[in-house]
Amino acid sequence: MSYEIRIEHNPFTIETHFFTRPSQDAEWQTPAVNSSLMQYANKRLQLWIENFFEEVDRNEFNDYGSFNVTFKGVEADYSDVKIAAEKAKEKGIEVNVKWEPATEVSERLEQIKGLMQEAQQHPIFKEKIEQSKEIQANFEAAFNRDFDVYVAATMSAGKSTFINAMLGCELLPNANEATTATIAQITDNDQMPHKEFIGERYNKDGELVDPQQQITLATLQEWNKLEDTKLIKLEGNIVGITEREDVRLVISDTPGPNNSQDRSHWETTQTYIQDSQRNPLILYVLNATQLGTNDDKLVLSMIADIMKKGGKQSKDRFIFVINKMDSFDFEKETSVEKVLENVRTYLQNNGIFDPLVYPVSALNAGLLRRRSANELLSRNEKPILDAWEYKCIPDGDYPGINFVEHMPLSSSAKQILASREVAPAEYRTGIPAIEAMIDEYIDKYNLPNRVNRAYDALKTAIKISSDEQALVTSLNLNQEELERVNEVLENLKNSETLKGEAKGKIDTLLNNDNLLYSAEIIAQINEKEADVREMLREFGRNFSGKVDVQVGETRLARLEEEVQFRSDALINIFCSLVEETQKTSKAKLKEIFDEFNNSLFSGKTFENLPLPVLEGLKHKMSNLEFSLESNEIQEEEHSKEVKVGTKTVSDRTWYKPWTYFRTKEVDVFETEYWTEEYVQLEELYKTRDDKIRQYFNDLIRAVKEKIQKDTENYLNNFTTFIEHEFTAEMKKIMKELQEKTQNQANLQQQIKDAEQKLAQINEFKAKLDKVISL
């Protein structure tokens, strides 16, 4: 006998409902409020499903060990539930899963986009949408078709070859040198002819310096060499990705830490990798024949840190593409399984556990696609492709190389791949499977997020409009009640009482100094501070004993590189924490505002108002959208040129004082060490230890000061908002209400109109609820 669990997950409203029963014959029960199941109720499924069955078995069912699970939701989420069930079975928990399908995401997105367009023209909602920054931002995000895929790698991994394979032509430079020194964004446009691309170039100040034009390989090589190039935007047909009406793929070819002309380019790449808000898909390309570069280790340590904290979505968004797999002789030297085992061990040694590893041959996929497009291959390329086709096609007992068999594809990704017409030799390179996986990621994360943003925008517009009309209908009172309303409004219209009471209540709410601080964010800063201390100890441990001058020189060069890298990574993390703090502060201030609004209307000032009017006024005021932008320090990155030899380095806004390790210093080694036969590493490091320690201490202090300053700005702006904008809006509304109550004939007509508008609003809300429901 098994326990029964029913899970209904709505990825659009980010809600999960749970039901349990001891057997099929029993009635379904909703878990108690203190049940461990309820902690997952308002989180995206991918944040909790991975270890769900083990945790629930232990915390909720006392290690019962056997469950029948009914899951209602979309297919992408069901796939993750099945994977979690299989993982639980490996740990001795029997989980049998049954699926009740819900309408898929793409269909809902089209329906909700239709409702958004209707709302923008609707006489009731139109004005509310135009007046609200929050609604407009959500509308923009929902209508934005762009989906970002960032391709990162260190030198010689074959990153450009990989992207060219997806493009089906040779657009990006392929030489084993620092060919990607800038960021190139390639936007899919299926209307353009194959192999034709247009592009434009931007400098470090974000200015367009080369307008849109036809692009060739030679053009990119020329632009890439120009030191002022920050970004190259390209547009063309990415042949490996199926055209979708509601999604436009944008592939970014990003520079690694070892091949950037400008340090700020690599910092931008780090920002993409660390972006936990938008969660873009990261394809990290590794060279199957050359694991273990120092740059790889630095980047992988950063990725490992992100993956540990982000749940399944964080794991899903980092795809490790193992390129050059065709370089091995799988009949004599090794096997695909052995190579991938080495890769997983390498990643595990760098802190990345259970990675999604995809073996590919980008070179052969590109050659096959170019040949299919009737492009003539060179004398060197033809035998490479002939050898691949000979090795991958089955012959008698020989099964042929098939990298797809070794990929962690979900059932939905396999279905997407099976639906495409791909020749066997191309299929077996693994590149079409990567493309199917990208499609699956879009279905699982990008589209539901867009539906969610649209839903939030429409819900807000409905609430504002509904509260406005409900306030009017609340005036459907008898003469005595109307006179009482009129008397209260007259007394408050030109009174300072309202302003004084507002200020008093808000001062009471804001008297806690730590009110806006997030304990979680402070903990993360403290954790990073501990990491820095351990890092400094590690640096010191690595500098011990006597070595010859050349070894000492190499050690110092690596030290500078690692300090630079860790500094960049730490700054990006701190920038992210500052942003997160700002969002948290705004959310908490909204809670304070709601509390203030409720408490204000429960005071003596409004006690003579009839209840319907009181509730209507309170709801309308709760929709007042306040902005905290006026004194907010923006986190825009800018560039500053600092001459160190011929090097240009980047600087940012709130940590300007620390440029020691944000430049490439030429005089790293002191002359005395060049003339000695050996150097004492402890002494060599001692001269740098204080500067490194001071730099990181200053950086940590800067982020704390930044958060403190932002919080103070928010509180000051919020108090100003309450004292001025809120009370001004309140008096405006009271004046309008008073005008309505003084003309009984007009009031009845306005009430009638408001009731009709409420009916229209409820009709629109019913359509929205139908689109969004499971």
Side-chain angles (χ1 to χ4, degrees):
M1 192 167 96
S2 301
Y3 255 102
E4 302 275 325
I5 303 177
R6 181 176 177 84
I7 305 171
E8 297 179 355
H9 179 70
N10 190 323
F12 318 113
T13 59
I14 319 296
E15 294 175 326
T16 306
H17 296 289
F18 297 95
F19 306 92
T20 62
R21 60 186 182 185
S23 67
Q24 289 183 344
D25 300 329
E27 293 291 324
W28 286 111
Q29 299 290 323
T30 302
V33 176
N34 60 352
S35 166
S36 62
L37 289 168
M38 300 309 290
Q39 65 180 304
Y40 311 115
N42 297 302
K43 296 180 181 178
R44 186 171 293 284
L45 180 134
Q46 281 72 27
L47 294 177
W48 51 265
I49 191 61
E50 196 168 14
N51 299 305
F52 172 77
F53 295 111
E54 299 98 288
E55 292 173 3
V56 166
D57 185 48
R58 180 175 60 252
N59 299 327
E60 193 74 17
F61 298 107
N62 298 317
D63 299 316
Y64 191 79
S66 182
F67 304 103
N68 289 326
V69 178
T70 302
F71 177 77
K72 184 175 183 179
V74 299
E75 185 174 8
D77 291 336
Y78 169 61
S79 175
D80 285 339
V81 173
K82 283 200 303 181
I83 292 169
E86 290 301 320
K87 184 177 178 182
K89 285 181 181 179
E90 292 173 3
K91 297 184 178 181
I93 302 171
E94 188 64 28
V95 181
N96 301 304
V97 183
K98 184 175 70 174
W99 178 37
E100 289 184 14
T103 305
E104 282 304 319
V105 188
S106 55
E107 185 178 336
R108 293 176 191 265
L109 182 60
E110 286 308 304
Q111 292 172 346
I112 206 165
K113 279 164 63 178
L115 287 178
M116 289 166 68
Q117 289 165 344
E118 181 182 336
Q120 286 175 314
Q121 303 303 319
H122 201 290
I124 296 177
F125 303 123
K126 187 175 185 293
E127 185 181 355
K128 307 300 176 291
I129 293 170
E130 291 173 350
Q131 291 175 346
S132 171
K133 290 181 180 178
E134 179 188 347
I135 295 176
Q136 288 176 16
N138 280 333
F139 265 45
E140 186 178 336
F143 277 122
N144 185 0
R145 299 191 302 130
D146 291 348
F147 173 71
D148 288 311
V149 174
Y150 296 108
V151 185
T154 49
M155 195 159 53
S156 83
K159 173 164 59 77
S160 296
T161 306
F162 172 75
I163 295 175
N164 284 340
M166 293 183 69
L167 301 177
C169 66
E170 282 193 296
L171 177 68
L172 304 181
N174 261 331
N176 279 330
E177 56 188 45
T179 53
T180 307
T182 59
I183 296 169
Q185 288 181 350
I186 310 163
T187 299
D188 188 21
N189 184 342
D190 293 305
Q191 305 307 312
M192 292 182 65
H194 176 47
K195 298 201 298 183
E196 284 190 20
F197 289 84
I198 55 175
E200 52 196 22
R201 185 175 74 91
Y202 294 81
N203 66 15
K204 283 182 279 189
D205 294 323
E207 299 166 337
L208 177 64
V209 286
D210 281 300
Q212 197 170 89
Q213 57 191 272
Q214 289 290 324
I215 297 298
T216 64
L217 178 60
T219 313
L220 285 185
Q221 287 172 325
E222 179 186 340
W223 284 0
N224 206 40
K225 290 175 183 175
L226 298 174
E227 289 189 6
D228 71 328
T229 302
K230 172 74 173 180
L231 173 67
I232 298 171
K233 288 188 176 182
L234 304 167
E235 191 172 330
N237 190 349
I238 303 176
V239 296
I241 298 296
T242 305
E243 181 180 1
R244 301 169 69 131
E245 187 178 340
D246 48 15
V247 178
R248 184 174 64 172
L249 189 70
V250 181
I251 297 177
S252 289
D253 182 17
T254 59
N258 59 5
N259 60 359
S260 178
Q261 293 172 351
D262 187 320
R263 194 76 197 172
S264 67
H265 294 149
W266 165 238
E267 290 165 10
T268 304
T269 301
Q270 284 182 296
T271 302
Y272 294 152
I273 291 173
Q274 294 174 312
D275 186 349
S276 60
Q277 301 300 315
R278 292 171 59 251
N279 288 310
L281 186 62
I282 307 292
L283 303 182
Y284 193 81
V285 184
L286 289 162
N287 184 344
T289 67
Q290 190 183 338
L291 296 173
T293 68
N294 192 51
D295 287 320
D296 262 340
K297 289 181 178 180
L298 292 171
V299 179
L300 292 175
S301 67
M302 178 172 64
I303 293 175
D305 191 47
I306 297 167
M307 290 178 68
K308 285 173 188 172
K309 299 172 182 175
K312 191 175 189 305
Q313 179 167 4
S314 188
K315 183 181 290 186
D316 283 352
R317 83 178 188 93
F318 288 103
I319 304 300
F320 297 95
V321 179
I322 316 304
N323 195 22
K324 304 189 179 183
M325 286 292 292
D326 54 303
S327 302
F328 299 98
D329 185 341
F330 291 120
E331 289 184 278
K332 287 186 176 181
E333 297 175 356
T334 184
S335 65
V336 176
E337 292 89 345
K338 181 63 178 174
V339 174
L340 296 183
E341 183 183 333
N342 292 339
V343 170
R344 292 189 185 96
T345 300
Y346 169 66
L347 292 174
Q348 185 171 320
N349 290 339
N350 284 278
I352 296 173
F353 299 92
D354 299 321
L356 297 175
V357 173
Y358 287 75
V360 302
S361 171
L363 174 61
N364 285 298
L367 293 175
L368 285 161
R369 288 177 172 180
R370 286 167 52 203
R371 188 179 68 181
S372 296
N374 299 318
E375 182 180 332
L376 292 176
L377 303 182
S378 71
R379 292 179 185 273
N380 285 335
E381 291 170 333
K382 286 179 181 178
I384 294 173
L385 190 52
D386 289 342
W388 169 253
E389 291 184 310
Y390 181 70
K391 289 187 292 185
C392 77
I393 302 301
D395 181 17
D397 294 334
Y398 174 69
I401 299 171
N402 184 357
F403 295 138
V404 179
E405 292 178 347
H406 304 276
M407 291 182 169
L409 294 174
S410 67
S411 57
S412 57
K414 288 177 182 176
Q415 288 175 8
I416 293 169
L417 181 59
S419 68
R420 297 175 177 173
E421 295 181 6
V422 182
E426 182 184 337
Y427 176 94
R428 289 168 173 248
T429 65
I431 294 297
I434 295 280
E435 293 159 346
M437 178 273 304
I438 292 173
D439 260 337
E440 182 198 29
Y441 188 92
I442 291 169
D443 285 337
K444 186 185 291 186
Y445 296 114
N446 178 259
L447 297 186
N449 181 59
R450 286 169 60 188
V451 172
N452 175 253
R453 295 291 293 270
Y455 173 66
D456 282 346
L458 290 173
K459 192 169 62 171
T460 302
I462 287 170
K463 184 179 187 307
I464 293 172
S465 303
S466 181
D467 289 344
E468 185 176 89
Q469 303 308 319
L471 180 56
V472 177
T473 61
S474 72
L475 296 174
N476 193 8
L477 306 167
N478 61 41
Q479 189 61 39
E480 182 183 341
E481 290 171 324
L482 277 176
E483 287 175 1
R484 201 184 330 151
V485 170
N486 203 21
E487 182 184 347
V488 172
L489 296 177
E490 181 62 32
N491 289 337
L492 288 172
K493 192 169 63 176
N494 297 309
S495 171
E496 289 296 311
T497 305
L498 180 65
K499 184 175 178 178
E501 188 166 344
K503 188 177 187 309
K505 286 185 176 295
I506 210 66
D507 287 344
T508 303
L509 288 167
L510 298 180
N511 62 3
N512 182 353
D513 291 339
N514 295 318
L515 185 68
L516 300 187
Y517 290 113
S518 164
E520 183 181 344
I521 290 172
I522 295 299
Q524 288 184 61
I525 293 173
N526 292 338
E527 181 185 332
K528 290 301 167 192
E529 194 168 4
D531 289 346
V532 167
R533 289 195 295 270
E534 176 54 35
M535 176 186 70
L536 296 173
R537 286 193 290 269
E538 182 187 331
F539 287 160
R541 288 193 295 268
N542 291 336
F543 275 77
S544 61
K546 294 181 180 180
V547 296
D548 63 37
V549 175
Q550 191 172 4
V551 172
E553 177 182 344
T554 303
R555 288 281 188 89
L556 277 179
R558 285 184 181 171
L559 173 65
E560 180 189 351
E561 182 183 328
E562 186 160 358
V563 170
Q564 174 75 67
F565 181 90
R566 294 208 190 189
S567 165
D568 290 342
L570 195 60
I571 286 169
N572 278 321
I573 289 170
F574 282 162
C575 282
S576 177
L577 288 177
V578 166
E579 263 184 52
E580 198 174 331
T581 304
Q582 291 172 345
K583 290 178 181 176
T584 303
S585 296
K586 290 178 183 179
K588 286 190 175 181
L589 284 172
K590 182 65 171 72
E591 290 176 11
I592 292 170
F593 173 71
D594 290 340
E595 184 180 344
F596 157 72
N597 192 51
N598 288 332
S599 65
L600 184 65
F601 286 100
S602 61
K604 291 184 178 180
T605 304
F606 296 93
E607 64 182 356
N608 290 324
L609 282 177
L611 185 60
V613 179
L614 183 65
E615 288 299 306
L617 192 55
K618 180 169 68 174
H619 287 312
K620 180 168 174 58
M621 291 308 300
S622 71
N623 296 319
L624 186 58
E625 188 174 306
F626 58 91
S627 171
L628 301 174
E629 306 296 335
S630 55
N631 295 324
E632 183 177 347
I633 300 174
Q634 299 298 314
E635 291 306 317
E636 295 177 359
E637 183 176 334
H638 70 281
S639 292
K640 180 178 80 173
E641 291 192 354
V642 179
K643 195 75 172 177
V644 181
T646 57
K647 196 73 176 173
T648 300
V649 298
S650 151
D651 194 9
R652 300 201 195 199
T653 50
W654 50 269
Y655 42 82
K656 286 179 185 176
W658 314 286
T659 56
Y660 178 78
F661 282 105
R662 297 189 62 74
T663 63
K664 284 288 186 181
E665 300 285 352
V666 235
D667 53 343
V668 177
F669 312 105
E670 298 167 9
T671 311
E672 58 189 277
Y673 298 129
W674 288 82
T675 58
E676 298 290 334
E677 292 182 4
Y678 66 86
V679 292
Q680 191 73 35
L681 285 176
E682 289 90 345
E683 295 300 317
L684 193 63
Y685 179 68
K686 194 182 295 182
T687 60
R688 282 133 182 103
D689 178 60
D690 288 344
K691 289 183 179 178
I692 296 173
R693 195 174 298 276
Q694 185 62 45
Y695 172 80
F696 282 105
N697 287 341
D698 285 348
L699 185 57
I700 291 166
R701 185 173 65 250
V703 74
K704 290 180 177 179
E705 289 175 354
K706 167 68 176 155
I707 289 174
Q708 175 71 33
K709 189 172 183 180
D710 281 351
T711 303
E712 289 172 0
N713 282 337
Y714 285 148
L715 290 176
N716 291 336
N717 291 350
F718 185 71
T719 304
T720 302
F721 164 78
I722 292 295
E723 290 180 8
H724 299 289
E725 292 180 48
F726 181 87
T727 51
E729 183 68 17
M730 176 70 83
K731 288 180 178 181
K732 176 185 169 186
I733 291 170
M734 289 191 295
K735 181 181 178 183
E736 292 172 354
L737 282 179
Q738 191 176 31
E739 289 171 354
K740 287 179 170 62
T741 59
Q742 287 173 343
N743 190 322
Q744 184 70 23
N746 284 345
L747 176 59
Q748 292 305 314
Q749 183 58 48
Q750 289 180 59
I751 291 172
K752 186 177 179 181
D753 291 343
E755 288 172 344
Q756 290 175 348
K757 287 179 180 178
L758 277 174
Q760 293 178 48
I761 291 169
N762 289 331
E763 183 182 340
F764 186 86
K765 183 178 182 297
K767 289 195 288 187
L768 175 63
D769 290 342
K770 184 177 180 182
V771 168
I772 218 74
S773 67
L774 283 184

